[in-house]
Structures are given as structure tokens and as C-alpha cells.
């Protein structure tokens, strides 16, 4: 394995990365220096489970600055909040359960199986799976269907590039993703009453090909921590958080719309598309506004989580009222 594990003597990556230089500059330009600056100072705590480095064999210097268009009122959420307030039911249903219970989870070594209706599938060691692609740092809003949100600097690769490399067949209409099943390491999976395992998610092929969709290996300049979906998770920022499946072990090219876990579990409340939409309320609460973690006042939720320009054309002619 060629994973870069940071030594004690290393300079903290947030002190030397071009990203931090950029973020400082951005913070000053945006006039949000205090908030965004504090995100930088909130260096990750020493955490036994935290793999240092972007998770795969790529020095941070090889991480390209990717998409980072944010609104005036968006500041990066402090690392401590993003890594301690989580949804990852494999480790329990409480917001602090994933951080508390994922310390024994072993994200490495890892392999990813690509199968189904494609000509270039196989089982790949994670570093081989990622290596052909350009790692990018992208700063995205994350909007949970429970009406809270964060802003997180992810590191990952374009999902479209992974799809192209897999050489899908014409009959492949959707991508289906599966989370690892390891009840010995994932206490929530020892209960059948939480969710059916494995957690499953999916995207329509054109959604998967949208340039915003990425497969994430890192965040805040380091490997993605266990509680955030180590070592590989999806990020499609225009959709509710539950679409962004964690700890992916399998990606399948399929003809039929995948039966995603939350839709199967509660079809009256969750669907397949799950696009962020302030005009379609959850049956039990409003989706018109949200609580940005760290803020006191709620803010308006944006159509497609603020990515309307980038993704609205995917849904032309579709009834957006029925896609929560
Ligand atoms: N395998 C798996 N993936 C998952 C979940 C889960 O419970 N299991 N929760 C989802 C939900 S509801 C949200 S909001 C996001 C949260 O991601 P974060 O903890 O990195 O903020 O992960 C999503 N991915
Ligand atoms: Mo969520």
C-alpha cells in the first residue's frame, strides 16, 4: 500500500497546502475572515482513526483546485463540527454516534468492485481505482433532508471520469452504489431494525455524468475520517445528504432504477431523486429553510441547494413536486 501516513514530525498539512493559502485569500476577499479563518485554525484533533494525507497515494501538491463557487453568506464549516455531527447509521443513529463508534473501523486496505453493464469492470484496490484520475479539492454545500447544512472542502475525483473509464454499455441507465457490510466493526449493522444493510444508493446515468458529482477520498486536506465515509463516498451536492452514500465497496451499472435504502425504508417520505427543493416540504417539516451548523438564525434553502445553473437541465420536463 502506498498510503501516505503523516509522521509526527510532518508540518501540519493545513499549514503548507496551497488550499489553505487559497482559503485565507478567499476568506479575506469574501469578508468572512473570522469565520472561514477559524475553520482553518480548527485543525483536526489527534484522532486514532484519522488517516492523514488525502487517503490515497497522491501528495496534496497533486490536488487541483476545483469548483469552489460559494455564496456571500457561505463560510467553511469548522472541521470539528463536520467530523462530529454526522449521519452514518452503520455506527448508530445519534449525531455523535459515528465519531464515537467508528474508531475501530479499518478503511484500509480497501477495494472497490465495478460490475454490471460495463465493459471495463473489475475489483480494484482503492489506490488503483483512484490513480488514473485527477484529485480535486471542491468546496460544496451539504444539505441534509433533516434541514441542517454545512459547507465542506472535499477532495475527490470526477464521477464522470470513473464512469467513462468503466466503459458503460448502452443498456446501462443507472449507477448503483453499495456500502460495506462489516457488522464486527459497524455496531449499527448488528441491528436489523435500524436500516436494511447494505445501504444502497443510486444516480441516473446523466446525473452521474454531471461535472459536480464526485467520489470523495478526503476533506479539509486530509483523508476522509471514518465517520464521514472513509475511504470512499459520493458527493452530489444538489441532492439531499442521504444520496451521498459512504464507505462504498461496489458500483454497478444497471438498467433499472436502484432501490435506494431510504426510499425502500419509508417511501412516503423519501424518493429516488431527492433533489434539494425548498418548494416541496417533507411530510413532517418544512424544506423552505435550514439550519447552517454554527449559525444562530435559519437561512432560506436554495433550489437544487444553490446548484440550479449546473443541474436544472437534468430535470427538464420532470415533475419536481414528487422528487423529495
Ligand atoms: N452508508 C451510509 N451513507 C450515508 C448515511 C448512512 O447512514 N449510511 N447517511 C447519509 C446522510 S442522511 C447524510 S446527511 C450524509 C451525512 O454525511 P456527513 O456525515 O459526512 O455530513 O451521509 C449520507 N450517507
Ligand atoms: Mo441526511
Amino acid at each position: 500500500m502506498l498510503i501516505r501516513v503523516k509522521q509526527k514530525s510532518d508540518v501540519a498539512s493545513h499549514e503548507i497546502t496551497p488550499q489553505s493559502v487559497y482559503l485565507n485569500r478567499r476568506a479575506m476577499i469574501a469578508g468572512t475572515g473570522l469565520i472561514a479563518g477559524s475553520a482553518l485554525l480548527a485543525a483536526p484533533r489527534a484522532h486514532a482513526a484519522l488517516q492523514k494525507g488525502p487517503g490515497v497515494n497522491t501528495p496534496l501538491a497533486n490536488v487541483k483546485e476545483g469548483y469552489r463557487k460559494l455564496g456571500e453568506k457561505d463560510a467553511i464549516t469548522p472541521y470539528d463540527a463536520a467530523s462530529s455531527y454526522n449521519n452514518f447509521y452503520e455506527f448508530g443513529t445519534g449525531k455523535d454516534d459515528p465519531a464515537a463508534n467508528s474508531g475501530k473501523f479499518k478503511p484500509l486496505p480497501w477495494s472497490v468492485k465495478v460490475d454490471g453493464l460495463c465493459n471495463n469492470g473489475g475489483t480494484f484496490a482503492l489506490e488503483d481505482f483512484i490513480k488514473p484520475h485527477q484529485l480535486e479539492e471542491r468546496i460544496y454545500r451539504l444539505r441534509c433532508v433533516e434541514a441542517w447544512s454545512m459547507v465542506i472542502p472535499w477532495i475527490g475525483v470526477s464521477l464522470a471520469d470513473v464512469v467513462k473509464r468503466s466503459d458503460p454499455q448502452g443498456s446501462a441507465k443507472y449507477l448503483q452504489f453499495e456500502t460495506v457490510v462489516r457488522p464486527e466493526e459497524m455496531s449499527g449493522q448488528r441491528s436489523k431494525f435500524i436500516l436494511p444493510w447494505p445501504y444502497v444508493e443510486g444516480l441516473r446515468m446523466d446525473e452521474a455524468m454531471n461535472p459536480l458529482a464526485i467520489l470523495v477520498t478526503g476533506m479539509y486536506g486530509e483523508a476522509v475520517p471514518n465517520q464521514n465515509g472513509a475511504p470512499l463516498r459520493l458527493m452530489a451536492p444538489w441532492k439531499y445528504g442521504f444520496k451521498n452514500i459512504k464507505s462504498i465497496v461496489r458500483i454497478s451499472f444497471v438498467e433499472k432504477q436502484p432501490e435506494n435504502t431510504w426510499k425502500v425504508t419509508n417511501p412516503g417520505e423519501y424518493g429516488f431523486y431527492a433533489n434539494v427543493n425548498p418548494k416541496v416540504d417533507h411530510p413532517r417539516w418544512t424544506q423552505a429553510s435550514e439550519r447552517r451548523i454554527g449559525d444562530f438564525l435559519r437561512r432560506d434553502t436554495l433550489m437544487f441547494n444553490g446548484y440550479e445553473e449546473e443541474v436544472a437541465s437534468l430535470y427538464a420536463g420532470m415533475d419536481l413536486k414528487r422528487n423529495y
Side-chain angles (χ1 to χ4, degrees):
M1 295 289 288
L2 294 159
I3 306 304
R4 177 180 182 273
V5 177
K6 192 165 78 176
Q7 303 300 309
K8 266 207 177 113
S9 57
D10 284 9
V11 180
S13 59
H14 64 93
E15 288 166 19
I16 54 168
T17 58
Q19 292 92 304
S20 68
V21 173
Y22 170 81
L23 292 174
N24 267 324
R25 196 172 62 223
R26 185 203 147 263
M28 287 184 295
I29 292 167
T32 53
L34 259 180
I35 303 159
S38 70
L40 287 173
L41 293 173
R45 281 181 306 238
H47 189 300
L50 189 64
Q51 301 275 342
K52 304 293 184 177
V56 287
N57 176 30
T58 308
L60 274 175
N62 294 348
V63 177
K64 197 174 101 184
E65 264 192 20
Y67 186 102
R68 50 193 61 223
K69 226 194 290 169
L70 290 175
E72 268 174 40
K73 285 186 264 168
D74 290 317
I76 292 177
T77 300
Y79 178 90
D80 280 358
S83 60
S84 65
Y85 186 90
N86 301 100
N87 275 333
F88 198 170
Y89 279 20
E90 283 83 343
F91 294 109
T93 57
K95 291 288 179 283
D96 41 15
D97 285 342
N101 301 335
S102 64
K104 295 216 174 76
F105 182 73
K106 287 188 196 61
L108 302 171
W110 193 262
S111 57
V112 184
K113 184 179 183 182
V114 178
D115 65 359
L117 306 167
C118 67
N119 301 320
N120 201 16
T123 299
F124 304 89
L126 179 62
E127 63 270 32
D128 298 331
F129 181 75
I130 293 298
K131 208 182 287 166
H133 306 293
Q134 172 68 56
L135 281 171
E136 286 181 41
E137 188 189 57
R138 309 228 190 151
I139 306 176
Y140 285 157
R141 288 178 288 272
L142 167 66
R143 170 58 158 82
C144 176
V145 75
E146 298 161 340
W148 53 265
S149 63
M150 301 190 187
V151 177
I152 299 181
W154 303 105
I155 293 170
V157 300
S158 152
L159 178 58
D161 288 351
V162 171
V163 169
K164 282 181 221 151
R165 190 186 84 200
S166 308
D167 190 13
Q169 294 161 11
S171 51
K173 302 285 185 253
Y174 297 88
L175 272 193
Q176 176 168 314
F177 303 87
E178 270 180 39
T179 294
V180 72
V181 178
R182 283 190 198 167
E184 349 50 83
E185 292 177 26
M186 302 172 116
S187 50
Q189 285 183 340
R190 300 201 281 267
S191 167
K192 291 187 184 90
F193 303 106
I194 296 181
L195 288 174
W197 316 112
Y199 194 99
V200 170
E201 260 306 337
L203 294 173
R204 209 171 58 194
M205 198 56 69
D206 59 343
E207 297 179 315
M209 296 299 289
N210 186 276
L212 282 185
I214 55 172
L215 286 173
V216 163
T217 60
M219 64 183 219
Y220 297 82
E222 304 204 333
V224 65
N226 290 346
Q227 58 269 35
N228 292 83
L232 188 73
R233 60 95 53 93
L234 179 66
M235 191 45 59
W238 68 97
K239 292 181 174 287
Y240 289 120
F242 71 82
K243 295 296 294 179
N244 297 308
I245 180 171
K246 296 175 168 182
S247 305
I248 296 166
V249 286
R250 185 174 177 196
I251 303 176
S252 309
F253 290 82
V254 298
E255 192 167 355
K256 290 207 182 93
Q257 183 175 295
E259 295 291 328
N260 54 310
T261 295
W262 276 106
K263 185 187 155 204
V264 167
T265 303
N266 192 345
E269 298 192 350
Y270 306 103
F272 175 78
Y273 284 96
N275 293 313
V276 175
N277 188 341
K279 293 188 198 118
V280 180
D281 285 341
H282 186 278
R284 290 182 282 136
W285 56 81
T286 178
Q287 295 291 26
S289 66
E290 67 198 53
R291 184 169 60 91
R292 177 67 50 84
I293 299 301
D295 285 3
F296 182 67
L297 296 174
R298 289 175 74 94
R299 63 175 65 206
D300 290 345
T301 288
L302 306 173
M303 188 63 197
F304 294 112
N305 202 21
Y307 303 102
E308 188 165 16
E309 198 183 307
E310 291 84 351
V311 303
S313 62
L314 293 170
Y315 310 103
M318 262 181 74
D319 179 9
L320 296 178
K321 290 216 180 68
R322 261 300 300 170
N323 81 4
Y324 48 76

